[in-house]
């Protein structure tokens, strides 16, 4: 049995093709049939569009406040950040810190965006620390208003979803560098198009010559169309995506809500400057859709090829885009902001609890947090901390919670200074620049040892220390790549140096000797576990003071090591202590 779409396609062909044939051969009234066919196409397409929009609305509503499981290409997502990094002089989360804090995974948790601009701006936002209270509050207010006006936010997401997350073309690069086309053959293409339009007149006055000319034009324009499309395919895709962007902006402006918080005046101002581009590139997107299956009869695709509509539109648009590339980039960013803020509103609705941070530029630095937790844990154990003008030294066994707590502090400091939200019941702190040295590895290709890589990672932090902004420095197992005597000596001196240079250090170590060596400048905390004859149990609760546990040796017994090893190890540990 034939499907509905196939039956409709046959009907279109019969009405349009049959109507034209009968109109020429039998009666001109049959020319009404193609009009009926085209009307049916338009009606069906309108119904299809409305159906797709309703489906999109339902999907968006169902996804609100939930993780968006999708494949993400971070090489593409980070392009806007990398591009603006070259243009701006600001405090950013460097690559080492981003990697150490597992921020790709954190980003995926927050990424409830609907479009490429939204994805890219959200990534940029999370890597760009803000030290401006007004800017942070403005962001927070916009996000909260989207939370209060969820229906409006979801309506905007419907429009943003139509942009999609196309990743085959780096639009940001084109918006920064412009379109570089060496030759512009537009005058020649206009002549070829004009000859096609005049061909019926030429046929009328000279039938044989006119038919040959038309056949030649079909062949020439077909080759021009094919060759041009293959050569400038990526640029064509850029214009198609620009068209989607501008259509989305136009729709958002139309949907401008009554809430005065949603100030889209900058979006409107930019759109007014570039809307002429929309008129030119809109035809490209329309014809690309037709070529992809939206033109059941093939008539539009044939006319596009014969009259070089898409090709000519492309070359007409180049000058406009190059002229307004700065405005287009600003528009791209503004659209990304809206998408990112709605995504963060959706994410915040998924949280059990959170708070607005109280941030200060006063000296000395401080941090106070009540029931702080990690965003990636499904059932996190919250911890509280309060410290001022001192560092924190964490001890405890492996898997007890030290690394998770270090990352919890770092991630929430980033949240506080990017979208004014912290996963805690109360939170106040200084403004920080956040830097870490946690996950260092041997650099086999570069020839660096573990110690050398770690030393370089730590040196990059030391080089940034200054009196203006406190660096929140998170360290895990400092200098673990060398012998005990040198490690403890070097670590204690580095910890002393950094704390005196306006650096809030939160460090974890297995070296209990450090707890006494740095106690004048650092508060000692630890995590512990309980080991019985059958199991190791962790409570992940932060405890005051250095660790006094020798459970690592008890674990050897639990694993079935010979009793002699266990007993002698315990005796030796007691002697050393």
């Amino acid at each position: 049995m034939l499907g509905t779409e196939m039956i409709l396609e046959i009907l279109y062909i019969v009405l349009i093709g049959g109507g034209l044939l009968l109109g020429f051969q039998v009666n001109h009234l049959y020319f009404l049939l193609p009009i009926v066919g085209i009307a049916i196409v338009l009606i069906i397409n309108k119904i299809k569009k409305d159906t797709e929009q309703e489906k999109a609305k339902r999907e968006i509503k169902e996804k609100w406040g939930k993780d968006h499981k999708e494949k993400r290409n971070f090489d593409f997502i980070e392009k806007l950040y990398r591009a603006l990094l070259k243009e701006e002089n600001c405090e950013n989360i460097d690559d080492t810190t981003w990697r150490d804090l597992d921020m790709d995974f954190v980003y995926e948790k927050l990424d409830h965006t609907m479009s490429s601009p939204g994805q890219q701006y959200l990534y940029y936002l999370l890597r760009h620390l803000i030290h401006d209270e007004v800017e942070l509050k403005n962001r927070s207010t916009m996000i909260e208003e989207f939370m209060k006006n969820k229906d409006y936010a979801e309506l905007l997401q419907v429009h943003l979803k139509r942009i999609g997350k196309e990743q085959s073309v780096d639009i940001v690069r084109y918006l920064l560098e412009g379109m570089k086309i060496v030759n512009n053959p537009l005058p020649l293409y206009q002549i070829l198009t004009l000859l096609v339009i005049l061909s019926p007149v030429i046929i009328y006055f000279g039938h044989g010559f006119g038919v040959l000319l038309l056949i030649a034009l079909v062949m020439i324009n077909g080759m021009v169309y094919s060759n041009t499309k293959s050569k400038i395919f990526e640029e064509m895709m850029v214009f198609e995506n620009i068209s989607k962007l501008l259509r989305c902006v136009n729709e958002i402006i139309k949907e401008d809500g009554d809430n005065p918080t949603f100030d889209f005046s900058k979006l409107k101002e930019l759109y007014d400057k570039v809307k002429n581009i929309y008129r030119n590139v809109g035809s490209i997107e329309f014809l690309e859709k037709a070529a992809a299956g939206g033109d059941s009869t093939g008539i539009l695709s044939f006319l596009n090829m014969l009259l070089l509509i898409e090709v000519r539109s492309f070359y007409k648009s180049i000058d406009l885009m190059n002229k307004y590339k700065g405005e287009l980039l600003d528009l791209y960013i503004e659209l990304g902001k809206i998408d990112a803020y709605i995504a963060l509103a959706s994410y915040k609705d998924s949280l059990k609890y959170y708070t607005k941070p109280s941030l200060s530029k006063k000296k000395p630095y401080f941090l106070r947090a009540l029931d702080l937790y990690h965003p990636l844990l499904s059932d996190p154990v919250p911890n509280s901390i309060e410290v001022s003008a001192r560092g924190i030294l964490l001890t405890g066994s492996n898997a007890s919670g030290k690394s998770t707590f270090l990352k919890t502090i770092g991630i929430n400091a980033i949240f506080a200074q990017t979208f004014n939200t912290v996963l805690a019941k109360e939170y106040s702190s200084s403004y920080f620049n956040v830097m870490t040295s946690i996950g260092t590895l041997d650099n086999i290709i570069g020839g660096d040892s573990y110690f050398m890589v770690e030393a370089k990672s730590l040196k990059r932090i030391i080089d940034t220390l200054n009196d203006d902004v406190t660096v929140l420095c998170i360290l895990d197992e400092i200098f673990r790549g060398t012998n005990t005597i040198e490690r403890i000596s070097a670590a204690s001196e580095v910890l002393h140096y950094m704390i005196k240079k306006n650096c809030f250090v939160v460090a974890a170590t297995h070296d209990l000797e450090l707890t006494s060596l740095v106690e004048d400048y650092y508060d000692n905390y630890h995590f512990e576990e309980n080991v019985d004859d059958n199991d190791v149990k962790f409570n992940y609760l932060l405890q005051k003071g250095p660790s006094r546990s020798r459970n690592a040796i008890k674990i050897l017994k639990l694993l079935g090591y010979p009793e002699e090893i266990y007993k002698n190890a315990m005796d030796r540990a007691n002697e050393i202590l």
Side-chain angles (χ1 to χ4, degrees):
M1 187 174 178
L2 291 175
T4 305
E5 288 194 7
M6 186 175 289
I7 293 172
L8 288 171
E9 285 184 20
I10 293 172
L11 180 59
Y12 303 153
I13 293 169
V14 169
L15 288 173
I16 295 173
L20 290 172
L21 184 62
L22 292 172
F24 282 116
Q25 299 293 331
V26 181
N27 192 306
H28 293 333
L29 289 175
Y30 284 105
F31 283 132
L32 293 174
L33 292 178
I35 298 173
V36 172
I38 293 170
I40 291 174
V41 171
L42 294 174
I43 292 169
I44 295 297
N45 285 341
K46 177 67 166 60
I47 294 171
K48 188 185 291 186
K49 181 180 176 182
D50 291 344
T51 303
E52 289 174 354
Q53 182 163 318
E54 288 303 316
K55 182 182 177 182
K57 284 181 180 178
R58 288 194 302 271
E59 289 177 353
I60 286 168
K61 192 173 287 292
E62 289 170 3
K63 281 188 172 183
W64 184 271
K66 298 176 183 175
D67 289 356
H68 287 210
K69 304 293 184 183
E70 58 187 77
K71 189 175 181 179
R72 294 175 175 87
N73 179 358
F74 280 94
D75 288 338
F76 175 81
I77 290 171
E78 68 178 20
K79 285 184 182 297
L80 179 66
Y81 165 72
R82 297 291 177 195
L84 297 182
L85 188 63
K86 299 173 185 176
E87 305 290 325
E88 297 179 353
N89 181 20
C90 54
E91 300 299 339
N92 292 283
I93 303 301
D94 70 6
D95 292 343
T96 299
T97 302
W98 184 268
R99 183 192 64 240
D100 284 349
L101 297 178
D102 305 316
M103 288 301 293
D104 276 357
F105 296 107
V106 174
Y107 171 88
E108 289 179 342
K109 194 79 173 175
L110 274 61
D111 180 21
H112 295 194
T113 61
M114 294 291 152
S115 68
S116 294
Q119 272 194 322
Q120 292 186 329
Y121 188 81
L122 178 62
Y123 185 90
Y124 163 81
L125 178 147
L126 289 172
R127 294 199 66 163
H128 181 73
L129 293 178
I130 296 294
H131 296 258
D132 182 352
E133 181 182 4
V134 174
E135 172 64 19
L136 282 171
K137 286 186 175 179
N138 287 342
R139 285 184 183 179
S140 181
T141 300
M142 185 72 99
I143 293 166
E144 287 178 352
E145 288 301 320
F146 281 129
M147 293 175 73
K148 293 175 187 175
N149 297 269
K150 193 167 73 171
D151 289 342
Y152 180 60
E154 289 172 351
L155 182 61
L156 297 187
Q157 282 187 316
V158 171
H159 299 308
L160 289 161
K161 187 178 175 66
R162 291 200 192 102
I163 296 174
K165 296 180 178 179
E166 173 61 48
Q167 300 180 357
S168 61
V169 179
D170 182 6
I171 295 180
V172 172
R173 177 170 65 86
Y174 281 99
L175 296 181
L176 283 169
E177 299 175 5
M179 305 287 285
K180 294 178 173 62
I181 302 295
V182 178
N183 297 315
N184 191 332
L186 183 59
L188 174 61
Y189 295 163
Q190 288 173 330
I191 292 171
L192 291 173
T193 302
L194 181 62
L195 288 173
V196 172
I197 294 171
L198 294 175
S199 61
V201 178
I202 298 172
I203 291 172
Y204 179 79
F205 286 104
H207 185 270
F209 173 75
V211 170
L212 288 174
L213 176 64
L214 182 58
I215 293 172
L217 287 170
V218 170
M219 295 174 64
I220 292 169
N221 286 9
M223 287 189 292
V224 167
Y225 175 81
S226 299
N227 290 336
T228 304
K229 286 273 286 185
S230 63
K231 289 178 182 176
I232 59 172
F233 174 77
E234 184 170 316
E235 288 83 355
M236 285 285 197
M237 293 297 293
V238 171
F239 280 119
E240 183 184 346
N241 282 278
I242 292 294
S243 177
K244 290 179 182 179
L245 289 172
L246 296 177
R247 178 180 288 109
C248 179
V249 172
N250 189 34
E251 294 297 331
I252 287 176
I253 291 171
K254 289 178 183 177
E255 301 286 1
D256 196 0
D258 296 330
N259 192 321
T261 306
F262 302 121
D263 181 12
F264 296 148
S265 57
K266 185 173 181 180
L267 202 66
K268 294 175 185 175
E269 179 184 339
L270 289 167
Y271 180 73
D272 285 341
K273 292 180 180 179
V274 301
K275 59 187 177 185
N276 284 337
I277 298 175
Y278 180 38
R279 297 191 185 105
N280 280 276
V281 302
S283 61
I284 295 175
E285 184 193 5
F286 174 76
L287 292 168
E288 284 293 326
K289 284 184 177 179
D295 177 21
S296 303
T297 62
I299 290 176
L300 285 176
S301 298
F302 178 74
L303 290 175
N304 177 29
M305 179 275 293
L306 185 62
L307 299 175
L308 300 174
I309 300 171
E310 190 174 1
V311 174
R312 287 186 293 108
S313 295
F314 169 76
Y315 284 107
K316 284 180 184 177
S317 302
I318 288 175
D319 290 340
L320 281 173
M321 181 172 162
N322 285 339
K323 182 178 179 181
Y324 293 106
K325 64 182 181 181
E327 286 81 359
L328 284 170
L329 179 61
D330 289 343
L331 197 76
Y332 187 91
I333 292 171
E334 286 300 311
L335 207 57
K337 279 184 185 179
I338 294 170
D339 197 3
Y341 291 167
I342 296 174
L344 291 170
S346 173
Y347 168 71
K348 288 177 69 170
D349 257 352
S350 73
L351 299 174
K352 186 176 181 180
Y353 63 84
Y354 58 88
T355 189
K356 287 183 183 180
S358 175
L359 302 175
S360 173
K361 293 183 179 179
K362 294 180 180 178
K363 300 290 180 69
Y365 63 81
F366 67 96
L367 170 65
R368 301 183 190 93
L370 176 64
D371 289 343
L372 193 71
Y373 66 97
H374 195 291
L376 296 182
L377 300 179
S378 56
D379 188 21
V381 176
N383 279 292
S384 302
I385 191 74
E386 182 171 348
V387 64
S388 177
R390 292 175 64 81
I392 295 173
L393 192 63
L394 289 172
T395 48
S397 63
N398 288 326
S400 62
K402 300 192 306 297
S403 294
T404 299
F405 185 68
L406 292 177
K407 293 177 181 181
T408 299
I409 289 178
I411 292 168
N412 276 285
I414 291 172
F415 281 11
Q417 288 179 229
T418 53
F419 63 102
N420 205 43
T421 300
V422 175
L423 309 189
K425 290 181 179 175
E426 294 178 15
Y427 185 94
S428 59
S429 78
S430 302
Y431 284 95
F432 296 121
N433 291 338
V434 181
M435 300 190 76
T436 68
S437 182
I438 295 176
T440 51
L441 300 170
D442 287 353
N443 183 357
I444 297 174
I445 296 175
D448 286 343
S449 67
Y450 190 102
F451 175 79
M452 184 64 73
V453 172
E454 187 180 17
K456 288 179 178 180
S457 176
L458 195 53
K459 178 62 161 53
R460 90 186 200 284
I461 299 174
I462 291 173
D463 288 343
T464 67
L465 302 182
N466 60 76
D467 293 332
D468 296 329
V469 180
T470 302
V471 172
L472 168 57
C473 173
I474 298 174
L475 307 175
D476 195 6
E477 295 302 327
I478 184 172
F479 295 140
R480 76 185 89 176
T482 190
N483 65 76
T484 304
I485 294 174
E486 289 187 296
R487 179 176 66 247
I488 293 172
S489 300
S492 62
E493 290 305 315
V494 167
L495 291 175
H496 278 130
Y497 178 87
M498 296 179 81
I499 205 76
K500 291 186 287 186
K501 294 291 183 178
N502 194 28
C503 184
F504 173 29
V505 182
V506 184
T509 182
H510 282 295
D511 295 318
L512 295 179
E513 296 88 342
L514 275 177
T515 60
S516 58
L517 290 174
V518 300
E519 62 184 358
D520 290 343
Y521 297 96
Y522 286 79
D523 293 335
N524 282 294
Y525 290 87
H526 71 278
F527 288 93
E528 61 185 20
E529 70 287 326
N530 295 317
V531 180
D532 55 30
D533 293 335
N534 300 310
D535 198 7
V536 183
K537 295 181 180 178
F538 300 98
N539 59 26
Y540 306 112
L541 293 173
L542 187 67
Q543 312 279 343
K544 286 189 174 182
S547 173
R548 296 298 178 190
S549 168
R550 292 192 295 281
N551 283 334
I553 300 176
K554 292 181 182 178
I555 290 173
L556 298 182
K557 182 179 181 182
L558 176 66
L559 293 174
Y561 274 62
E563 182 68 22
E564 179 183 351
I565 294 177
Y566 166 71
K567 183 178 181 304
N568 290 342
M570 288 294 287
D571 291 343
R572 189 175 297 276
N574 287 328
E575 288 176 12
I576 293 171
L577 287 172

